[in-house]
Amino acid sequence: MIRAVLFRVLRWAALVGAAFVVLSLVLVLMMRYVPAYGSMVMLERKVEAWLAGESLTIRHQWRPWEELSDHAKLAVIAAEDQRFADHRGFDVAEMRRAWEASRSGARLRGASTISQQTAKNLFLWTGRSWARKGLEAWFTLLIETLWPKERILEVYLNIAEWDNGVFGLEAAGQHYFGVSASQVNEVQASRLAAILPNPRAWDAARPGPQTERRSQWIRQQMRNLDGPRYLERLSAD
């Protein structure tokens, strides 16, 4: 009796697991070609506002790769993931440094790549849990396998959160500077990238001293990366 019940449980678990794998594969492959007109984080913010009895308007407009500022592409790479063109979803060296720093008593800092952040923002939620991290790793592996690097960065720039209800470069450019995604200049791009760690608290249009220092550092990193050549590597991928 117990053996039969256990067999049925394992059988159903295997079926559910197989269904999840197939559905996630289909979803990620579809999103390689279909514009992301929304994300799970956008839905999460709407639900949070509804539960709090507040109104939240999501500002978001998809823009294809060619209409995204090259300055913005390079700024987020410089700020968030300078080895983006070289790794396959996980920056092992950065993860090791973060772990070693935490063991020495420093606060555990994030080591998420642009690929991981894209997977989380598009398919998952923002909470911290082992379940979410496991799913994030799975979706990161899928998008790194099924999407070119250019597509990953394109989706990331179109769904990144830049203020309450402000998602994607087009909405962020209009919100902070009154310009479209294609018109974001180097300074504006560096300030937008500088607030990504805390976009609902920091202001790209009126940056405080910390944000301004970080944006200056980002601009220097953009020059060190040799921007045009770096972006050509993404297109070649």
Side-chain angles (χ1 to χ4, degrees), residues 209-225:
Q210 179 183 357
T211 300
E212 187 56 39
R213 285 193 299 272
R214 180 168 167 78
S215 70
Q216 292 173 3
W217 176 84
I218 290 169
R219 290 196 294 276
Q220 182 58 54
Q221 297 304 305
M222 291 166 69
R223 299 182 188 105
N224 293 345
L225 287 174

Side-chain angles (χ1 to χ4, degrees), residues 84 87-89 115 140-147 149 152:
F84 175 63
H87 64 64
R88 300 310 302 173
S115 303
T140 298
L141 287 171
L142 289 185
I143 66 174
E144 278 282 350
T145 302
L146 299 175
W147 298 2
K149 289 286 188 177
I152 296 173

Side-chain angles (χ1 to χ4, degrees), residues 60-215:
H60 173 254
Q61 289 178 285
W62 173 270
R63 290 292 180 263
W65 177 261
E66 297 77 13
E67 296 179 25
L68 299 171
S69 161
D70 284 351
H71 295 301
K73 296 169 187 174
L74 195 61
V76 298
I77 291 171
E80 301 285 295
D81 186 4
Q82 294 190 15
R83 283 184 284 272
F84 175 63
D86 301 308
H87 64 64
R88 300 310 302 173
F90 306 94
D91 190 338
V92 177
E94 190 63 27
M95 292 168 66
R96 185 182 298 115
R97 273 196 289 270
W99 172 249
E100 290 173 352
S102 69
R103 290 186 65 186
S104 65
R107 183 175 65 87
L108 182 62
R109 57 191 176 87
S112 292
T113 63
I114 286 175
S115 303
Q116 289 174 276
Q117 293 179 56
T118 302
K120 179 195 70 177
N121 291 348
L122 186 59
F123 300 114
L124 304 170
W125 62 95
T126 60
R128 292 178 179 272
S129 68
W130 287 110
R132 202 270 288 163
K133 292 300 290 184
L135 289 170
E136 178 187 300
W138 167 246
F139 279 105
T140 298
L141 287 171
L142 289 185
I143 66 174
E144 278 282 350
T145 302
L146 299 175
W147 298 2
K149 289 286 188 177
E150 189 176 282
R151 176 60 174 179
I152 296 173
L153 186 58
E154 178 186 32
V155 172
Y156 177 75
L157 283 169
N158 270 289
I159 63 173
E161 184 177 30
W162 263 297
D163 199 356
N164 289 320
V166 178
F167 290 87
L169 186 62
E170 177 68 26
Q174 296 286 356
H175 175 65
Y176 286 113
F177 308 115
V179 300
S180 68
S182 62
Q183 297 172 322
V184 172
N185 63 34
E186 183 184 46
V187 173
Q188 293 166 345
S190 68
R191 289 178 176 174
L192 286 172
I195 68 170
L196 281 170
N198 198 359
R200 295 196 289 175
W202 298 347
D203 192 322
R206 293 178 292 277
Q210 179 183 357
T211 300
E212 187 56 39
R213 285 193 299 272
R214 180 168 167 78
S215 70

